[in-house]
Protein backbone atom coordinates (compact mmCIF):
# COMPACT_ATOMS: atom_id res chain seq x y z
CA UNK A 1 0.00 0.00 0.00
CA UNK A 2 1.36 3.37 -1.03
CA UNK A 3 1.08 6.14 1.53
CA UNK A 4 0.71 8.70 -1.27
CA UNK A 5 -1.69 8.32 -4.20
CA UNK A 6 -1.79 10.65 -7.19
CA UNK A 7 -4.37 11.03 -9.92
CA UNK A 8 -4.48 11.00 -12.79
CA UNK A 9 -1.39 9.01 -13.76
CA UNK A 10 -1.36 10.53 -17.23
CA UNK A 11 -2.89 13.73 -18.49
CA UNK A 12 -3.00 15.30 -21.94
CA UNK A 13 -4.28 18.86 -22.30
CA UNK A 14 -4.60 21.50 -24.97
CA UNK A 15 -2.57 24.64 -24.52
CA UNK A 16 -4.51 27.14 -22.44
CA UNK A 17 -6.52 24.59 -20.47
CA UNK A 18 -6.85 24.64 -16.69
CA UNK A 19 -5.22 21.54 -15.18
CA UNK A 20 -5.70 19.87 -11.81
CA UNK A 21 -3.53 17.11 -10.35
CA UNK A 22 -4.64 15.46 -7.13
CA UNK A 23 -2.71 13.91 -4.25
CA UNK A 24 -4.16 11.93 -1.36
CA UNK A 25 -2.21 10.57 1.56
CA UNK A 26 -3.06 8.18 4.34
CA UNK A 27 -0.70 9.20 7.14
CA UNK A 28 -0.14 12.22 9.34
CA UNK A 29 2.32 14.57 7.74
CA UNK A 30 4.46 17.52 8.69
CA UNK A 31 4.60 18.95 5.15
CA UNK A 32 3.66 18.20 1.57
CA UNK A 33 5.83 19.02 -1.43
CA UNK A 34 5.01 19.29 -5.12
CA UNK A 35 7.93 18.50 -7.42
CA UNK A 36 8.36 18.86 -11.18
CA UNK A 37 10.57 16.54 -13.19
CA UNK A 38 11.39 17.23 -16.82
CA UNK A 39 12.67 14.60 -19.28
CA UNK A 40 16.34 14.09 -18.51
CA UNK A 41 15.69 13.74 -14.79
CA UNK A 42 16.17 17.14 -13.18
CA UNK A 43 13.73 17.77 -10.31
CA UNK A 44 12.57 21.19 -9.21
CA UNK A 45 10.68 21.83 -6.00
CA UNK A 46 7.53 23.81 -6.82
CA UNK A 47 5.81 24.15 -3.46
CA UNK A 48 6.11 23.16 0.16
CA UNK A 49 2.82 23.27 2.07
CA UNK A 50 1.70 22.55 5.58
CA UNK A 51 -1.65 24.34 5.35
CA UNK A 52 -3.79 26.50 3.09
CA UNK A 53 -2.82 27.62 -0.36
CA UNK A 54 0.24 28.92 -2.22
CA UNK A 55 0.53 30.57 -5.63
CA UNK A 56 3.51 31.03 -7.88
CA UNK A 57 2.84 32.46 -11.32
CA UNK A 58 0.38 30.17 -13.08
CA UNK A 59 0.74 27.44 -10.45
CA UNK A 60 -1.48 27.11 -7.39
CA UNK A 61 -1.20 24.45 -4.69
CA UNK A 62 -3.77 23.77 -2.00
CA UNK A 63 -3.87 21.39 0.91
CA UNK A 64 -6.70 20.19 3.15
CA UNK A 65 -5.12 18.63 6.22
CA UNK A 66 -8.40 17.22 7.58
CA UNK A 67 -9.19 15.45 4.32
CA UNK A 68 -5.53 14.47 3.72
CA UNK A 69 -5.69 15.86 0.20
CA UNK A 70 -3.75 18.33 -1.92
CA UNK A 71 -4.24 19.67 -5.42
CA UNK A 72 -1.87 21.29 -7.88
CA UNK A 73 -3.52 23.59 -10.41
CA UNK A 74 -1.96 25.00 -13.56
CA UNK A 75 -3.82 27.87 -15.16
CA UNK A 76 -3.42 28.70 -18.87
CA UNK A 77 -1.28 25.61 -19.48
CA UNK A 78 1.64 25.81 -21.89
CA UNK A 79 3.67 23.15 -23.68
CA UNK A 80 6.65 23.98 -21.45
CA UNK A 81 4.54 22.72 -18.50
CA UNK A 82 4.89 19.21 -19.95
CA UNK A 83 6.64 17.23 -17.24
CA UNK A 84 6.04 14.69 -14.50
CA UNK A 85 4.56 16.19 -11.33
CA UNK A 86 5.29 14.36 -8.10
CA UNK A 87 3.63 14.74 -4.73
CA UNK A 88 5.77 13.98 -1.69
CA UNK A 89 4.97 14.02 2.01
CA UNK A 90 7.18 14.26 5.06
CA UNK A 91 6.04 11.86 7.77
CA UNK A 92 6.94 12.46 11.41
CA UNK A 93 8.60 11.65 13.67
CA UNK A 94 11.60 11.12 11.37
CA UNK A 95 10.24 13.41 8.65
CA UNK A 96 11.45 11.21 5.85
CA UNK A 97 9.89 11.56 2.41
CA UNK A 98 7.28 9.31 0.85
CA UNK A 99 6.56 9.90 -2.82
CA UNK A 100 3.59 9.51 -5.12
CA UNK A 101 4.11 7.73 -8.42
CA UNK A 102 3.79 10.95 -10.37
CA UNK A 103 1.46 12.44 -12.95
CA UNK A 104 2.80 12.70 -16.48
CA UNK A 105 1.44 15.86 -18.11
CA UNK A 106 1.61 16.59 -21.82
CA UNK A 107 0.37 19.95 -23.07
CA UNK A 108 -0.29 20.05 -26.80
CA UNK A 109 0.10 23.34 -28.69
CA UNK B 1 24.83 30.57 -5.87
CA UNK B 2 25.86 27.38 -7.58
CA UNK B 3 23.31 24.60 -7.48
CA UNK B 4 23.67 21.07 -6.23
CA UNK B 5 26.24 19.15 -8.22
CA UNK B 6 26.57 15.40 -8.59
CA UNK B 7 29.42 13.39 -10.03
CA UNK B 8 29.68 11.41 -12.12
CA UNK B 9 26.58 12.04 -14.24
CA UNK B 10 26.67 8.63 -15.89
CA UNK B 11 28.22 5.37 -14.78
CA UNK B 12 28.28 1.82 -16.06
CA UNK B 13 29.31 -0.97 -13.70
CA UNK B 14 29.11 -4.75 -13.69
CA UNK B 15 27.38 -6.96 -11.15
CA UNK B 16 29.39 -7.50 -8.01
CA UNK B 17 31.37 -4.27 -8.28
CA UNK B 18 30.98 -1.35 -5.93
CA UNK B 19 30.34 2.29 -6.76
CA UNK B 20 30.71 5.64 -5.02
CA UNK B 21 28.63 8.65 -5.99
CA UNK B 22 29.33 12.21 -4.89
CA UNK B 23 27.10 15.16 -4.10
CA UNK B 24 28.10 18.75 -3.37
CA UNK B 25 25.28 20.76 -1.79
CA UNK B 26 24.46 24.41 -2.24
CA UNK B 27 26.86 26.56 -0.25
CA UNK B 28 25.58 26.98 3.30
CA UNK B 29 23.29 23.95 3.19
CA UNK B 30 24.13 21.35 5.80
CA UNK B 31 21.50 18.72 4.99
CA UNK B 32 21.95 16.25 2.13
CA UNK B 33 19.42 13.59 1.19
CA UNK B 34 19.78 10.76 -1.29
CA UNK B 35 17.04 9.20 -3.41
CA UNK B 36 16.78 6.33 -5.86
CA UNK B 37 14.47 6.57 -8.85
CA UNK B 38 13.53 3.56 -10.98
CA UNK B 39 10.73 3.07 -13.51
CA UNK B 40 9.18 0.34 -11.36
CA UNK B 41 9.44 1.81 -7.86
CA UNK B 42 9.51 5.51 -8.60
CA UNK B 43 11.30 7.79 -6.18
CA UNK B 44 12.45 6.26 -2.91
CA UNK B 45 14.25 7.82 0.01
CA UNK B 46 17.68 6.37 0.80
CA UNK B 47 19.11 8.45 3.65
CA UNK B 48 19.60 11.93 4.98
CA UNK B 49 22.66 13.50 6.55
CA UNK B 50 22.95 16.67 8.58
CA UNK B 51 26.22 17.97 10.00
CA UNK B 52 27.98 14.67 9.28
CA UNK B 53 25.33 12.60 11.10
CA UNK B 54 22.84 10.27 9.48
CA UNK B 55 19.44 11.53 10.58
CA UNK B 56 17.19 9.17 8.67
CA UNK B 57 17.44 5.99 6.65
CA UNK B 58 15.01 4.48 4.18
CA UNK B 59 14.23 0.83 3.70
CA UNK B 60 17.26 -0.26 1.70
CA UNK B 61 19.70 -3.11 2.35
CA UNK B 62 23.00 -2.53 4.11
CA UNK B 63 24.80 -2.56 0.74
CA UNK B 64 23.72 1.07 0.48
CA UNK B 65 25.68 3.38 2.72
CA UNK B 66 26.64 7.01 2.85
CA UNK B 67 28.59 9.62 4.67
CA UNK B 68 28.89 13.36 4.92
CA UNK B 69 32.06 15.35 5.30
CA UNK B 70 32.74 18.46 7.36
CA UNK B 71 32.27 20.65 4.26
CA UNK B 72 28.77 19.11 3.84
CA UNK B 73 29.73 17.21 0.69
CA UNK B 74 28.26 13.73 0.74
CA UNK B 75 29.03 10.39 -0.82
CA UNK B 76 26.93 7.29 -1.17
CA UNK B 77 28.34 3.86 -1.75
CA UNK B 78 26.70 0.75 -3.11
CA UNK B 79 28.61 -2.49 -2.67
CA UNK B 80 28.11 -5.79 -4.49
CA UNK B 81 26.04 -4.22 -7.23
CA UNK B 82 22.95 -6.02 -8.52
CA UNK B 83 21.11 -5.50 -11.80
CA UNK B 84 18.22 -3.98 -9.84
CA UNK B 85 20.46 -1.19 -8.60
CA UNK B 86 20.31 0.38 -12.05
CA UNK B 87 18.62 3.69 -11.39
CA UNK B 88 18.86 7.44 -11.32
CA UNK B 89 20.39 8.47 -8.00
CA UNK B 90 19.45 11.96 -6.92
CA UNK B 91 20.72 14.02 -4.08
CA UNK B 92 19.08 17.10 -2.64
CA UNK B 93 20.29 19.69 -0.20
CA UNK B 94 18.45 21.93 2.21
CA UNK B 95 19.34 24.44 4.87
CA UNK B 96 17.42 22.66 7.62
CA UNK B 97 17.49 19.02 8.61
CA UNK B 98 14.33 17.02 7.76
CA UNK B 99 12.35 20.11 6.80
CA UNK B 100 12.45 23.01 4.41
CA UNK B 101 12.76 23.28 0.66
CA UNK B 102 14.80 20.62 -1.09
CA UNK B 103 17.10 21.58 -3.95
CA UNK B 104 17.84 18.65 -6.23
CA UNK B 105 20.94 17.85 -8.19
CA UNK B 106 20.84 16.56 -11.78
CA UNK B 107 21.34 12.97 -10.70
CA UNK B 108 23.75 10.16 -11.49
CA UNK B 109 22.47 7.56 -13.96
CA UNK B 110 23.88 4.18 -12.87
CA UNK B 111 23.63 1.20 -15.18
CA UNK B 112 24.60 -2.23 -13.86
CA UNK B 113 25.29 -4.89 -16.47
Amino acid sequence: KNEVEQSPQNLTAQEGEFITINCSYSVGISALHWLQQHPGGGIVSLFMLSSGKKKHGRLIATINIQEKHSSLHITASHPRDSAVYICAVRVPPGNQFYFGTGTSLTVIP
Amino acid sequence: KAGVTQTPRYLIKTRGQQVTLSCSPISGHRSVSWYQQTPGQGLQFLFEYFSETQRNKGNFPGRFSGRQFSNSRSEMNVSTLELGDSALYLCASSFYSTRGEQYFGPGTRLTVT
Side-chain angles (χ1 to χ4, degrees):
Chain A
K1 181 185 177 294
N2 199 7
E3 290 83 357
V4 184
E5 300 284 350
Q6 280 185 243
S7 63
Q9 282 192 310
N10 298 285
L11 184 55
T12 301
Q14 289 291 133
E15 183 174 356
E17 283 186 9
F18 181 86
I19 289 162
T20 296
I21 300 171
N22 296 299
C23 174
S24 296
Y25 51 93
S26 57
V27 294
I29 67 170
S30 57
L32 182 143
H33 294 242
W34 281 102
L35 310 173
Q36 180 193 56
Q37 186 172 32
H38 280 283
I43 292 180
V44 173
S45 177
L46 297 174
F47 294 103
M48 182 180 65
L49 295 158
S50 54
S51 65
K53 177 178 174 178
K54 285 190 176 180
K55 185 175 189 291
H56 181 69
R58 295 180 295 106
L59 302 179
I60 302 166
T62 64
I63 187 168
N64 185 319
I65 298 293
Q66 287 74 28
E67 295 186 4
K68 293 186 166 60
H69 182 268
S70 175
S71 293
L72 175 69
H73 305 287
I74 304 175
T75 62
S77 58
H78 190 276
R80 65 175 174 266
D81 298 326
S82 298
V84 175
Y85 293 83
I86 301 168
C87 172
V89 297
R90 281 216 188 260
V91 179
N95 278 333
Q96 70 162 277
F97 267 125
Y98 290 88
F99 296 91
T101 51
T103 295
S104 179
L105 171 65
T106 302
V107 182
I108 300 169
Chain B
K1 260 186 188 177
V4 178
T5 57
Q6 291 187 245
T7 56
R9 293 291 311 279
Y10 302 91
L11 203 49
I12 300 174
K13 291 283 190 179
T14 56
R15 272 181 301 177
Q17 287 186 313
Q18 76 159 14
V19 67
T20 298
L21 311 181
S22 181
C23 172
S24 292
I26 289 172
S27 177
H29 286 189
R30 291 193 292 163
S31 173
V32 173
S33 300
W34 288 91
Y35 304 92
Q36 181 196 65
Q37 188 176 36
T38 60
Q41 298 294 321
L43 266 168
Q44 293 182 279
F45 169 76
L46 278 158
F47 24 66
E48 178 171 13
Y49 287 87
F50 183 81
S51 293
E52 302 178 67
T53 302
Q54 188 179 90
R55 291 298 181 96
N56 237 321
K57 189 176 192 305
N59 191 24
F60 277 81
R63 301 185 296 106
F64 291 81
S65 62
R67 58 179 175 167
Q68 187 180 33
F69 302 96
S70 58
N71 62 358
S72 293
R73 189 177 70 85
S74 178
E75 288 181 348
M76 68 161 280
N77 185 77
V78 188
S79 62
T80 319
L81 283 165
E82 300 176 0
L83 294 178
D85 297 332
S86 295
L88 180 66
Y89 290 88
L90 292 150
C91 84
S93 75
S94 64
F95 186 78
Y96 299 104
S97 171
T98 69
R99 58 188 178 101
E101 289 281 355
Q102 295 254 298
Y103 295 84
F104 286 82
T108 294
R109 174 80 60 185
L110 171 65
T111 302
V112 182
T113 62

